[in-house]
């Protein structure tokens, strides 16, 4: 089950942290201006998703962007970040050195390691969103978040929304689908036996 593998990846790389949140695992190299700005756009879109909690019009989330915002509020770090290409809306200039921005965040902001594990195209990042969909709305939330992160996916980054509720909903759907398939097979076999039985009893072709 791919979502269970994502759970293990988040636990190993980011020390867990599920609770009542929905996680979006990002795999790929985020150290480019295009991908960084696509992440900012995706988070803005996620803030419009029903059942994603917001603060001041922005999604209530822990992410690379929120860590960058914390650092940008520090006057000393703000100057260094601006010199590397960070702009006031937390997007970056087309010629920004995003790899250096990530290095600075990991060195100076304690929580940066909770949301970013850079390793080129094998790098991982994590977005943790506070949500309120619960089990009944988990499947719809996963679809909506997948759509919200389309700008980032379109740049080649793999995007996987997951949570305990999403995994449980997926497992429940798989079980239901399996039960329906088994029932259809059983009904088909029973019908075939009935046809054979009546064919023999009546001694006429099927």
């Amino acid at each position: 089950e791919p979502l269970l593998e994502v759970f293990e990846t988040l636990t190993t790389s980011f020390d867990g942290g599920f609770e009542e949140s929905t996680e979006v695992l990002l795999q790929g190299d985020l150290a480019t201006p295009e991908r960084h700005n696509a992440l900012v756009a995706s988070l803005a879109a996620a803030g419009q998703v029903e059942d994603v909690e917001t603060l001041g019009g922005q999604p209530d989330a822990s992410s690379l962007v929120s860590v960058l915002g914390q650092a940008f509020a520090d006057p000393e770090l703000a100057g260094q970040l601006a010199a590397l290409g960070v702009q006031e809306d937390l997007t970056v200039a087309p010629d920004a050195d995003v790899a250096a921005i990530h290095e600075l965040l990991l060195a100076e902001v304690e929580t940066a390691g909770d949301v970013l594990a850079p390793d080129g195209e094998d790098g991982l990042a994590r977005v943790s969103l506070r949500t309120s969909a619960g089990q009944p709305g988990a499947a719809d939330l996963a679809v909506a978040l997948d759509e919200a992160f389309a700008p980032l996916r379109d740049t080649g980054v793999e995007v996987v929304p997951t949570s305990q509720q999403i995994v449980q909903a997926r497992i429940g759907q798989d079980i239901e689908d399996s039960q329906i398939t088994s029932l259809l097979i059983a009904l088909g076999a029973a019908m075939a036996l009935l046809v054979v039985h009546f064919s023999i009893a009546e001694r006429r072709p099927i």
Side-chain angles (χ1 to χ4, degrees):
E1 170 62 56
L3 287 179
L4 293 178
E5 293 179 9
V6 171
F7 253 26
E8 173 141 1
T9 299
L10 285 169
T11 301
T12 301
S13 299
F14 300 110
D15 193 24
F18 297 104
E19 299 182 351
E20 295 182 4
S21 63
T22 297
E23 313 288 332
V24 182
L25 181 68
L26 311 174
Q27 182 168 9
D29 186 4
L30 294 179
T32 71
E34 179 190 18
R35 289 180 171 180
H36 176 88
N37 291 340
L39 174 59
V40 174
S42 295
L43 282 166
Q48 303 302 311
V49 171
E50 186 177 3
D51 295 321
V52 171
E53 301 297 318
T54 59
L55 290 172
Q58 298 297 317
D60 186 359
S62 297
S63 70
L64 176 60
V65 176
S66 68
V67 169
L68 180 58
Q70 293 171 21
F72 210 58
D74 182 315
E76 182 176 343
L77 291 178
Q80 297 179 61
L81 291 168
L84 292 171
V86 179
Q87 302 175 127
E88 289 190 4
D89 62 357
L90 301 184
T91 60
V92 297
D95 60 347
D97 188 346
V98 182
I101 293 169
H102 290 175
E103 291 175 4
L104 179 61
L105 293 177
L106 289 167
E108 298 295 338
V109 183
E110 183 178 354
T111 56
D114 295 336
V115 297
L116 180 65
D119 187 19
E121 287 299 334
D122 293 324
L124 297 172
R126 166 192 176 195
V127 175
S128 180
L129 296 153
R130 190 165 64 88
T131 56
S132 58
Q135 182 71 31
D140 289 341
L141 176 61
V143 171
L145 287 175
D146 197 56
E147 293 174 352
F149 278 81
L152 187 56
R153 187 188 311 102
D154 290 346
T155 68
V157 174
E158 183 178 357
V159 176
V160 183
T162 188
S163 67
Q164 290 178 339
Q165 291 81 8
I166 290 172
V167 170
Q168 290 166 0
R170 179 69 61 83
I171 292 173
Q173 186 61 52
D174 288 346
I175 292 173
E176 183 179 338
D177 291 345
S178 176
Q179 290 173 335
I180 291 173
T181 300
S182 298
L183 179 60
L184 290 174
I185 291 173
L187 286 173
M191 290 298 295
L193 287 173
L194 285 173
V195 169
V196 171
H197 171 76
F198 283 110
S199 175
I200 295 174
E202 297 293 329
R203 296 184 181 280
R204 63 187 182 195
I206 299 174

